[in-house]
Amino acid sequence: MPEDAAPHCDSVCRGDGETCLPQMLADWDAVARGEPGASLRAVYDWTDYPTARIATPRKDLLDAKSYLIFNPIQTTRGCPHACNFCTTPGVFGRKFRQRRIEDIVEEIREAKELYNSACFIFADDDFGGNHKWARELCAAIEPLGVKWASQCDILISNNDKLLAAMRRSGCLGLILGLESPNQQTLAEAGKRFARSADYEWRIRKIQSYGISLWGAFIFGFDNDTWRTCMETCRFAQRMNLSMSCYPILTPYPGTGVWQDYKAQGRLVTDDWDRYNGASVCYTPGSMSPRDLRHAQMAAFAEFFSLRSSLRRLGVLPFKKFAWLANLSIWRGIRYYYSRRGRHVPAFADFIHPGARAWRYDDAWAEQAHAAWSEMPEADEATLERATEALAAANVRYSDPLVQAAAAVSSTQQ
Ligand code: SF4
């Protein structure tokens, strides 16, 4: 949104810096030299120029100590797909681009030598957008003996050779944008390349190569209710995902969702600070904003609970980093709610409106709950029973004992 940035500067570059920044600097130079007719454009849009090659950043200009992860490396830009909630097509264009493999290898080699880095994040939207190229890159980095993680689409599960090459080259984990295990929600999200019915075998196959998975889901599509949110969380548990996240659908400007909601008059704010994945910036189709937030936090609390972590991660082999991340998030959630004197949200709250977790402090929530104030408060035992009943109805954990019991009972039938 260059028009938002324009009041704060002389000139705005939109899109790839490699493409439009040199044009802006040349004009700036010409203006500084007082060349006749020279002027600075208000907006330098990268689509007005031939697309430049993806450059290697000058990391020597940065202070390594100021960064938690100093070596994110971009190997690709863009994504061959076009999901209608995603900013990637708007930011990087529809053309999927790959960096020169020798540049990437050189950047990794230099980071190893200068900063002793052995673990890298490939900061891509879709590392596996071009399977042939991804295999070539994996082959090139295999001799470097590094570890890495990235983000890609689930279609890499079609390609065993690519999965094997990724693992051999040091791939530890991947973030998969799954959005939902519900086919109607996927259709609404414009995720046309994936079918939810195939998610399970695809996930299991990627995991069989020793690659840990982080599932990225989204809550708040029109098809979503608290039950579909709960089923999504259960699905993440059943798939033994190491990590998962449940941001609220955010209609970022430039996305298809934003255009649709704008046309339907459903955007409730243009305060960009609230476009953060945690606030509800539009009128949801099937849930109130409060219920949507509650379902989001119930999913986080449920997925990262100790019982869930134990079932998903197991004990041996001990997954140190996954355990550390899971326990940190669980502690963070507990701390957040205890500081506010509130109960941690649970899906069971939705079947008992008197649950204490609904008792928000602010006036808005009190007003929303006035109708429920007459209801008897649910005690802990009732909520625990409700949680167990919901879990029994929805969870088939991949707990080895549960699987064995299921196998025995199916042979007996
Ligand atoms: S959500 Fe993922 S697959 Fe879809 S357009 Fe964005 S980056 Fe590509």
Side-chain angles (χ1 to χ4, degrees):
M1 300 193 74
E3 65 277 13
D4 271 27
H8 307 283
C9 54
D10 297 316
S11 189
V12 179
C13 284
R14 180 183 170 275
D16 278 14
E18 292 97 326
T19 297
C20 57
L21 190 61
Q23 314 285 339
M24 192 199 82
L25 294 177
D27 285 351
W28 191 0
D29 207 28
V31 170
R33 284 200 310 271
E35 281 183 16
S39 66
L40 210 51
R41 287 198 197 183
V43 176
Y44 288 82
D45 194 306
W46 70 310
T47 56
D48 293 339
Y49 308 100
T51 306
R53 217 173 67 204
I54 303 173
T56 299
R58 287 272 311 275
K59 292 235 174 85
D60 57 302
L61 298 174
L62 305 176
D63 175 12
K65 290 195 285 302
S66 303
Y67 294 84
L68 182 61
I69 297 170
F70 184 57
N71 274 309
I73 291 179
Q74 200 173 33
T75 71
T76 64
R77 274 195 200 151
C79 174
H81 309 294
C83 307
N84 66 7
F85 60 88
C86 179
T87 54
T88 298
V91 172
F92 293 116
R94 287 295 312 276
K95 195 166 180 304
F96 182 59
R97 293 167 285 143
Q98 298 94 56
R99 214 171 132 199
R100 283 203 330 191
I101 288 180
E102 49 272 43
D103 289 354
I104 300 166
V105 170
E106 193 46 42
E107 191 178 341
I108 295 174
R109 201 190 306 278
E110 189 180 282
K112 276 187 80 179
E113 283 169 14
L114 293 182
Y115 311 108
N116 213 15
S117 301
C119 204
F120 294 85
I121 302 285
F122 293 153
D124 301 337
D125 288 300
D126 192 356
F127 176 84
N130 178 332
H131 289 193
K132 182 169 171 294
W133 176 90
R135 271 181 70 192
E136 285 168 13
L137 174 62
C138 290
I141 60 179
E142 190 180 332
L144 301 177
V146 294
K147 303 288 182 213
W148 60 273
S150 190
Q151 172 170 278
C152 67
D153 71 60
I154 198 166
L155 296 186
I156 55 162
S157 52
N158 287 337
N159 193 329
D160 284 87
K161 287 186 179 151
L162 173 58
L163 290 169
M166 288 168 76
R167 181 60 192 167
R168 279 198 308 274
S169 67
C171 178
L172 293 179
L174 293 170
I175 299 177
L176 292 183
L178 299 171
E179 327 318 342
S180 171
N182 182 301
Q183 186 56 42
Q184 270 172 283
T185 307
L186 285 190
E188 199 187 326
K191 224 172 175 72
R192 295 193 186 89
F193 64 90
R195 282 189 339 128
S196 64
D198 296 334
Y199 270 6
E200 181 158 352
W201 72 259
R202 290 182 181 281
I203 288 171
R204 301 269 189 233
K205 192 200 241 190
I206 299 170
Q207 288 170 327
S208 74
Y209 281 86
I211 297 172
S212 294
L213 293 181
W214 170 327
F217 301 93
I218 295 178
F219 285 176
F221 286 101
D222 285 353
N223 187 54
D224 281 337
T225 63
W226 71 265
R227 282 189 181 275
T228 64
C229 294
M230 180 178 67
E231 282 156 14
T232 299
C233 177
R234 305 296 191 212
F235 174 81
Q237 292 174 310
R238 209 167 65 238
M239 292 299 103
N240 280 355
L241 300 180
S242 299
M243 299 274 285
S244 72
C245 60
Y246 309 90
I248 302 275
L249 174 66
T250 303
Y252 289 109
T255 62
V257 168
W258 184 73
Q259 281 165 6
D260 290 348
Y261 288 2
K262 194 168 180 202
Q264 295 161 8
R266 292 171 61 185
L267 298 175
V268 296
T269 178
D270 59 2
D271 174 0
W272 305 130
D273 283 345
R274 293 191 57 205
Y275 282 62
N276 54 19
S279 309
V280 185
C281 307
Y282 64 102
T283 309
S286 309
M287 301 171 82
S288 70
R290 185 213 57 183
D291 285 3
L292 182 51
R293 282 281 289 137
H294 202 86
Q296 177 197 31
M297 292 316 296
F300 273 112
E302 169 67 34
F303 183 85
F304 289 102
S305 69
L306 291 180
R307 182 174 59 176
S308 166
S309 297
L310 196 60
R311 282 179 159 154
R312 287 181 291 105
L313 304 177
V315 179
L316 293 174
F318 186 58
K319 297 175 182 162
K320 185 170 74 175
F321 294 114
W323 266 108
L324 203 58
N326 274 255
L327 289 177
S328 305
I329 294 173
W330 174 233
R331 279 195 62 108
I333 292 168
R334 305 277 295 202
Y335 179 75
Y336 176 89
Y337 283 94
S338 71
R339 285 281 298 222
R340 283 158 180 75
R342 285 175 43 197
H343 284 250
V344 178
F347 286 113
D349 302 331
F350 285 101
I351 55 175
H352 202 306
R356 270 183 278 174
W358 290 117
R359 309 245 156 144
Y360 295 85
D361 288 338
D362 54 292
W364 169 79
E366 269 175 31
Q367 199 184 352
H369 284 274
W372 289 350
S373 59
E374 301 303 317
M375 294 203 64
E377 188 175 292
D379 59 30
E380 293 297 334
T382 308
L383 286 176
E384 185 63 23
R385 277 202 304 282
T387 303
E388 291 293 333
L390 285 175
N394 289 281
V395 180
R396 287 189 309 281
Y397 282 115
S398 48
D399 183 320
L401 285 178
V402 175
Q403 283 178 354
V408 169
S409 78
S410 67
T411 44
Q412 282 171 347
Q413 279 164 8

